[in-house]
């Protein structure tokens, strides 16, 4: 046992690498003990090696590692006229194995610190008491000539002028050891640890600094300092220590607030298999501040590398910002379009992550949805990634749509306040404490689904001109396709269907049995089209419906009234926006059917042609009124979907040329008033507000403020029926439509015609509701 204090267990000794000498051993040791352990292994491993072996110590990678501290004798040795095999070696300290898995728990870290990076005293304790947790790690060896070729390659990501071969060898040794140790620790700890040495001091980065300095007439030294500051501001700094802490906290929060996280492990593995040859970019929906933690938790639990996730700089605040940065978030400013050095640094950082095949993640909506449905995609980061692909940084990129959906979320209360015109609460440490406190109530399950991946090369060619008239449409098309694929896999939850049913009753309440009756045609709709759900046919049982209603009662979305003979569930006026949020998460599945139904009714009450193509034309007109509200397929595909819906209203023997004979009573329960009215009423509010300006030009903010006042007025007068239509978020789509049609600076007559188009549609909805 005396020898045990200076050696690792021989049974875990790595073999001496294959390949002929001479050899140069590069030791990465953070303490005297680690050096002794490595020398002890060297003596055993090279006992039968006759070729010359030179041994040098590198600056320890787990501590400060400035290039200028690399032993100059390494350069002297590399200048000799031979081609030695460079062998990097270090000691790895493993976490304790529990239930067959080596994982650091939060209480381990709080009590004694990270066991994978122990101080000298703990190193001796671990070696004596748990020698199986101490391993010698040998990085992939390489001949000097191979490393030297990379060092001198003018087109590669080698170091800029001034970096010696010895310093470059040290960097490559550290990287090789990180990859080797990853096999022991697990893929979840695949993180970039040497950004300063590997990215900032690379040729592309330093050449960019020279160009920027010349363009902005600044000294290279000042531009170097500025870009280095930006890189520090942007880059994530993954720490295995913090990754374990954050996952421990996330696991506890999930157990407290949610029943489970539901996903397909097989789907997840299939997606990551695509990343073996090309980098992956995950593009999730964004419903809650919990999204990032949930997705990272799923990756962590499956021993997969954690994503580099883009976050707004507003999240980089006291205590929380550093924690998130070390758990994988990189922070981006909201505005930087005129800051060329900042854009250069962000571009270089993304290029580096893609080239090294680190998975990226950001929310294609840009921010959290306040309404429940997907927001219009933001193209900024996607354009940077496309640029990397077109410049040949990578061969291809796999874009993965991800739906993160919840039975209920704690954020919905703040969303309601914002939609009523309230101010968004500023992110801060106190804000985080409030968010965590809100998770004390149960919110059901979380549902993670992966849409069909899309390879960038299948939509954009490497040489495509994205500035041409046709090319400018390529990027938005990709973004909208991703959004549609997210919608396609978003599962319909029991809560979303129940809120849809309750909101259909105006202000009146429902019993459990009445709720079941309203749900039945919607369940049939879902079942006929084989739409994704989180439930089966049992959702229509009394127990299932009552369970969903009671879950909404617990979180204050629904009020329960125990009457003498009945229990009645009601959505109060002040909670309709909250309930609408859950309805809207799945409303996209019903939109085409609702538009078709409305197009048929408009034709019937106005005595218009009712043949298939006439109805399709009217449906396309309605689609254009809602084009900034929902993600629609291209018009040809949409027209085919409408034709399929029309066929459901025909007798089997009818042909496409025959007029549809619409039985208004047969429409009940109709879908269009339930799924379309709130959005059409919101746009009607905008059109009404716009009409008050006559022919005066109006900007977006002025129109938004006027719409909020007009919405409250029309709601109180009973002109509109849905309080959820009075929403600053829904007004944005109507305002976008105004701008798209040039009505923000138009004549009174044009604005009046715009208003009348909505009045006609709302009259048709009234006709449907009245039967």
């Amino acid at each position: 046992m005396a020898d045990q204090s200076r050696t690792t267990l021989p049974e875990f000794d790595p073999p001496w690498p294959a390949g002929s000498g001479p050899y140069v051993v590069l030791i990465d040791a953070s303490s005297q003990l680690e050096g002794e352990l490595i020398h002890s292994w060297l003596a055993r491993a090279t006992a039968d090696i006759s070729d010359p072996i030179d041994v040098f110590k590198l600056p320890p990678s787990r501590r400060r590692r400035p290039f200028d501290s690399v032993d100059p004798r390494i350069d002297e040795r590399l200048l000799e006229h031979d081609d030695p095999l460079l062998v990097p070696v270090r000691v790895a300290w493993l976490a304790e194995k529990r239930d067959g898995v080596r994982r650091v728990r939060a209480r381990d870290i709080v009590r004694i610190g990270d066991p994978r990076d122990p101080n000298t005293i703990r190193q001796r304790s671990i070696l004596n008491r748990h020698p199986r947790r101490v391993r010698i790690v040998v990085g992939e060896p390489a001949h000097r000539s191979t490393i030297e070729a990379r060092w001198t390659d003018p087109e590669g990501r080698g170091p800029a002028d001034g970096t010696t071969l010895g310093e470059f060898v040290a960097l490559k040794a550290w990287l090789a050891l990180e990859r080797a140790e990853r096999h022991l620790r697990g893929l979840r700890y695949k993180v970039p640890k040497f950004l300063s040495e590997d990215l900032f001091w690379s040729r592309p980065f330093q050449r960019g600094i020279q160009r920027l300095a010349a363009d902005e007439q600044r000294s290279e030294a000042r531009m170097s300092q500025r870009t280095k500051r930006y890189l520090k501001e942007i880059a994530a700094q993954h720490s295995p220590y913090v990754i374990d802490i954050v996952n421990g906290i996330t696991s506890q929060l999930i157990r407290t607030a949610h029943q489970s996280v539901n996903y397909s492990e097989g789907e997840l593995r299939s997606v990551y298999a695509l990343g073996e040859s090309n980098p992956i970019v995950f593009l999730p929906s964004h419903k809650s501040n919990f999204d990032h933690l949930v997705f990272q938790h799923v990756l962590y639990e499956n021993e997969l590398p954690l994503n580099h996730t883009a976050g707004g700089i507003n999240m980089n605040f006291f205590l929380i910002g550093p924690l998130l940065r070390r758990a994988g978030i990189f922070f981006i400013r909201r505005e930087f379009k005129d800051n060329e050095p900042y854009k250069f640094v962000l571009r270089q950082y993304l290029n580096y992550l893609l080239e090294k095949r680190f998975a990226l993640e950001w929310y294609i909506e840009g921010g959290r949805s306040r309404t429940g449905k997907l927001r219009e995609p933001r193209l900024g980061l996607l354009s940077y990634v496309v640029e990397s692909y077109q410049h040949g940084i990578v061969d291809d990129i796999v874009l993965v749509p991800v739906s993160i959906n919840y039975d209920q979320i704690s954020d919905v209360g703040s969303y309601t306040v914002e939609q009523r015109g309230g101010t968004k609460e500023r992110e801060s440490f106190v804000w985080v404490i409030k968010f965590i406190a809100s998770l004390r109530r149960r919110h059901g399950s979380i549902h993670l689904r992966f849409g069909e991946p899309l390879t960038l090369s299948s939509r954009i060619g490497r040489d495509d001109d994205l500035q041409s008239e046709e090319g400018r449409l390529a990027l938005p098309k990709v973004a909208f396709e991703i959004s549609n694929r997210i919608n396609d896999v978003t599962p319909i939850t029991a809560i979303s269907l129940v809120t849809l049913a309750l909101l259909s009753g105006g202000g009146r309440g429902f019993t459990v049995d009445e709720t079941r009756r309203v749900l039945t045609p919607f369940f049939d709709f879902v079942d006929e089209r084989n739409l994704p759900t989180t439930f089966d046919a049992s959702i229509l049982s009394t127990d299932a419906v009552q369970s969903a209603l009671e879950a909404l009662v617990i979180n204050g979305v629904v009020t329960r009234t125990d009457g003498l003979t009945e229990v009645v569930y009601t959505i109060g006026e002040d909670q309709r926006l909250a309930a609408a949020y859950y309805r809207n998460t799945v409303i996209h599945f019903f939109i085409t059917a609702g538009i078709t139904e409305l197009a048929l009714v408009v034709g019937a009450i106005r005595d218009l042609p009712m043949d298939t193509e006439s109805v399709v034309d009217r449906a396309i007109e309605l689609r254009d009124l809602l084009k900034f509200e929902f993600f629609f397929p291209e018009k040809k595909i949409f027209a085919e979907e409408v034709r399929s819906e029309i066929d459901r209203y025909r007798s089997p023997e009818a042909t496409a040329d025959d007029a549809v004979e619409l039985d208004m009573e047969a429409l009940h329960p109709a879908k269009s008033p339930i799924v379309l009215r709130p959005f059409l009423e919101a746009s009607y509010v905008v059109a009404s507000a716009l009409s008050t300006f006559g022919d005066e030009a109006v900007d977006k903010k002025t129109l938004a403020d006027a719409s909020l006042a007009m919405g409250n007025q029309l709601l109180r007068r009973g002109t509109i029926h849905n309080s959820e239509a009075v929403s600053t978020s829904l007004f944005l789509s109507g305002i976008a439509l105004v701008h798209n049609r040039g009505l923000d600076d138009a004549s009174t007559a044009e604005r009046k015609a715009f208003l009348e188009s909505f009045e006609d549609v709302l009259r048709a909805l009234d006709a449907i509701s009245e039967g």
Side-chain angles (χ1 to χ4, degrees):
M1 291 297 294
D3 293 337
Q4 181 70 50
S5 65
R6 292 293 185 273
T7 185
T8 54
L9 294 177
E11 64 188 275
F12 295 117
D13 278 356
W16 184 253
S20 59
Y23 303 98
V24 170
V25 178
L26 302 167
I27 295 177
D28 177 13
S30 65
S31 67
Q32 181 180 341
L33 176 60
E34 288 188 353
E36 292 171 354
L37 294 175
I38 291 172
H39 280 285
S40 175
W41 168 79
L42 271 175
R44 297 193 301 273
T46 61
D48 298 325
I49 301 295
S50 58
D51 291 323
I53 301 175
D54 293 305
V55 180
F56 298 95
K57 185 176 180 181
L58 298 174
S61 62
R62 288 202 292 268
R63 304 292 182 265
R64 290 177 59 83
R65 47 179 189 276
F67 268 163
D68 56 13
S69 65
V70 173
D71 190 339
R73 293 178 298 171
I74 295 177
D75 271 301
E76 295 173 5
R77 174 63 186 86
L78 296 175
L79 290 174
E80 295 182 14
H81 298 292
D82 57 3
D83 191 15
L85 189 67
L86 309 177
V87 183
V89 187
R90 76 157 57 137
V91 175
W93 305 87
L94 304 181
E96 184 179 348
K97 183 177 284 189
R98 297 183 178 89
D99 300 325
V101 179
R102 296 194 184 277
R103 179 179 303 183
V104 179
R105 299 175 301 184
R107 62 175 177 267
D108 297 332
I109 295 171
V110 172
R111 186 174 67 245
I112 55 178
D114 189 353
R116 293 158 307 195
D117 188 12
N119 58 32
T120 301
I121 295 175
R122 287 194 59 219
Q123 285 180 357
R124 295 187 183 280
S125 174
I126 292 172
L127 180 63
N128 287 326
R129 299 176 58 194
H130 308 286
R132 301 176 71 87
R133 290 170 52 192
V134 189
R135 307 290 177 85
I136 299 295
V137 174
V138 178
E140 183 180 0
H143 283 281
R144 184 211 64 191
S145 58
T146 302
I147 303 299
E148 188 173 17
R150 297 178 190 172
W151 179 58
T152 57
D153 181 5
E155 301 302 322
R157 191 178 281 281
D161 296 341
T163 303
T164 69
L165 177 57
E167 291 167 344
F168 189 60
V169 163
L171 172 61
K172 292 303 177 184
W174 291 329
L175 291 170
L177 288 168
E178 285 297 312
R179 289 191 293 268
E181 189 169 344
R182 199 181 299 147
H183 290 294
L184 290 175
R185 290 189 176 183
L187 282 176
R188 62 162 69 106
Y189 303 112
K190 178 185 176 183
V191 298
K193 291 186 64 175
F194 307 103
L195 273 178
S196 178
E197 297 87 350
D198 202 19
L199 173 57
F200 183 78
W201 288 108
S202 67
R203 284 193 185 91
F205 205 107
Q206 291 299 310
R207 287 171 181 164
I209 289 174
Q210 293 170 1
R211 176 181 56 77
L212 288 167
D215 290 346
E216 301 206 355
Q217 298 181 341
R218 298 282 192 273
S219 70
E220 288 186 21
R222 288 188 62 184
M223 187 58 68
S224 179
Q225 291 175 349
R226 183 176 173 184
T227 53
K228 194 168 190 176
R229 186 174 70 250
Y230 287 156
L231 182 59
K232 185 177 181 180
E233 176 186 312
I234 293 170
Q237 299 169 2
H238 287 76
S239 161
Y241 181 92
V242 174
I243 287 171
D244 287 330
I245 290 177
V246 170
N247 186 71
I249 294 171
T250 302
S251 298
Q252 183 59 47
L253 292 177
I254 289 174
R255 286 193 295 269
T256 300
H258 296 278
Q259 293 175 348
S260 61
V261 181
N262 301 321
Y263 63 95
S264 167
E265 185 177 335
E267 284 183 7
L268 181 60
R269 298 286 175 186
S270 297
V271 167
Y272 261 90
L274 299 174
E276 293 177 2
S277 53
N278 293 298
I280 297 176
V281 174
F282 289 99
L283 299 169
S285 58
H286 199 11
K287 298 289 193 297
S288 167
N289 283 306
F290 211 28
D291 293 341
H292 169 72
L293 295 177
V294 169
F295 196 8
Q296 298 292 73
H297 170 77
V298 167
L299 299 177
Y300 183 98
E301 292 298 312
N302 284 275
E303 295 274 355
L304 292 170
L306 303 192
N307 300 335
H308 284 68
T309 306
I313 196 71
N314 57 304
M315 295 298 293
N316 188 21
F317 52 84
F318 177 67
L319 290 181
I320 301 303
L323 196 67
L324 293 176
R325 189 185 296 278
R326 286 165 176 77
I329 286 186
F330 63 95
F331 294 107
I332 302 177
R333 297 180 181 183
R334 295 295 188 187
E335 295 291 337
F336 53 86
K337 62 180 180 179
D338 296 324
N339 190 335
E340 291 302 321
Y342 186 92
K343 288 194 284 187
F344 164 78
V345 173
L346 177 59
R347 186 176 291 111
Q348 286 290 316
Y349 181 61
L350 293 174
N351 285 350
Y352 178 83
L353 295 177
L354 291 168
E355 182 181 347
K356 302 297 182 182
R357 292 187 194 166
F358 290 108
L360 290 174
E361 174 191 344
W362 70 80
Y363 303 107
I364 196 165
E365 301 166 83
R368 289 171 291 154
S369 169
R370 267 58 174 182
T371 64
K373 58 190 184 62
L374 281 183
R375 299 172 62 176
E376 183 178 354
R378 305 292 289 272
L379 305 180
L381 280 179
L382 186 60
S383 66
Y384 278 81
V385 166
V386 169
E387 184 180 291
S388 297
Y389 158 69
Q390 288 199 309
H391 287 175
I393 302 297
V394 291
D395 293 332
D396 205 348
I397 296 172
V398 181
L399 305 178
V400 182
V402 184
S403 168
I404 305 176
N405 203 14
Y406 300 77
D407 286 341
Q408 296 189 73
I409 59 171
S410 62
D411 315 56
V412 73
S414 64
Y415 295 166
T416 298
V417 171
E418 291 177 42
Q419 289 186 79
R420 294 293 189 210
T423 304
K424 175 178 177 286
E425 185 177 0
R426 185 176 180 181
E427 291 82 359
S428 65
F429 183 72
V430 173
W431 171 82
V432 171
I433 298 301
K434 289 180 182 177
F435 176 75
I436 292 175
S438 71
L439 298 175
R440 287 178 297 181
R441 292 194 301 267
R442 301 292 284 178
H443 292 84
S445 294
I446 306 171
H447 312 282
L448 200 70
R449 300 288 188 272
F450 298 95
E452 182 184 355
L454 185 153
T455 57
L456 200 52
S457 62
S458 68
R459 298 296 183 272
I460 297 177
R462 199 178 294 279
D463 298 321
D464 286 356
D465 179 7
L466 300 187
Q467 300 305 313
S468 66
E469 184 175 351
E470 182 179 356
R472 282 195 294 268
L473 298 176
L475 199 59
K477 283 183 177 180
V478 169
F480 275 81
E481 187 169 357
I482 290 293
S483 296
N484 274 316
R485 293 188 184 196
I486 292 173
N487 272 340
D488 288 344
V489 296
T490 298
I492 299 171
T493 66
I495 294 291
S496 62
L497 274 190
V498 166
T499 52
L500 187 150
L502 292 180
L503 286 167
S504 70
R508 78 178 187 87
F510 289 84
T511 65
V512 170
D513 286 340
E514 287 171 335
T515 305
R516 287 177 59 209
R517 283 197 291 273
V518 176
L519 279 176
T520 298
F522 285 96
F523 177 81
D524 292 342
F525 180 96
V526 170
D527 189 46
E528 288 172 7
R529 292 159 176 79
N530 195 30
L531 300 177
T533 67
T534 63
F535 53 79
D536 53 29
S538 65
I539 184 60
L540 293 178
S541 69
T542 299
D543 288 344
V545 172
Q546 186 168 9
S547 177
L549 288 167
E550 291 295 337
L552 289 163
V553 170
I554 289 172
N555 286 294
V557 178
V558 168
T559 300
R560 169 179 167 151
T561 302
D562 294 295
L564 180 63
T565 61
E566 295 176 324
V567 176
V568 180
Y569 296 89
T570 313
I571 297 175
E573 195 66 26
D574 59 339
Q575 287 299 325
R576 288 184 70 84
L577 275 174
Y581 181 92
Y582 299 119
R583 175 200 65 194
N584 292 347
T585 60
V586 299
I587 203 167
H588 54 276
F589 289 117
F590 306 98
I591 294 302
T592 301
I595 287 177
T596 304
E597 179 182 273
L598 188 53
L600 287 165
V601 172
V602 167
I605 65 176
R606 293 175 58 188
D607 197 25
L608 298 173
M610 295 291 284
D611 60 280
T612 296
E613 293 312 306
S614 295
V615 176
V616 168
D617 289 342
R618 288 196 294 274
I620 290 175
E621 290 176 6
L622 291 168
R623 172 188 183 273
D624 287 343
L625 289 179
L626 293 164
K627 65 182 179 181
F628 291 106
E629 198 70 67
F630 301 103
F631 295 100
F632 291 104
E634 294 182 358
K635 285 188 178 180
K636 287 184 179 180
I637 299 174
F638 175 76
E640 283 302 316
E641 292 176 353
V642 171
R643 291 184 186 101
S644 296
E645 292 295 331
I646 292 171
D647 288 341
R648 297 176 185 274
Y649 293 88
R650 294 183 180 282
S651 61
E653 60 274 9
T655 68
D657 294 328
D658 293 336
V660 178
E661 295 181 5
L662 189 64
D663 181 356
M664 296 292 286
E665 292 186 4
L667 288 176
H668 288 278
K671 299 174 186 63
S672 51
I674 299 175
V675 301
L676 296 181
R677 183 184 285 277
F679 307 100
L680 290 168
E681 284 190 343
S683 291
Y684 169 72
V685 168
V686 173
S688 298
L690 180 66
S691 68
T692 66
F693 289 91
D695 58 3
E696 177 188 347
V698 59
D699 60 63
K700 292 181 179 180
K701 185 180 185 311
T702 302
L703 183 55
D705 293 341
S707 297
L708 187 59
M710 178 63 77
N712 286 317
Q713 172 186 319
L714 295 177
L715 183 65
R716 295 297 175 265
R717 290 185 59 81
T719 308
I720 61 174
H721 306 307
N722 291 271
S723 60
E724 63 264 34
V726 185
S727 160
T728 56
S729 296
L730 295 190
F731 292 156
L732 293 176
S733 299
I735 293 170
L737 185 62
V738 166
H739 180 71
N740 176 258
R741 296 193 175 186
L743 295 171
D744 39 9
D745 188 7
S747 67
T748 302
E750 289 173 309
R751 289 171 172 178
K752 182 180 178 182
F754 182 63
L755 175 60
E756 289 173 348
S757 67
F758 285 101
E759 290 174 338
D760 287 345
V761 172
L762 292 178
R763 278 194 292 270
L765 287 174
D766 288 338
I768 296 173
S769 300
E770 294 166 4

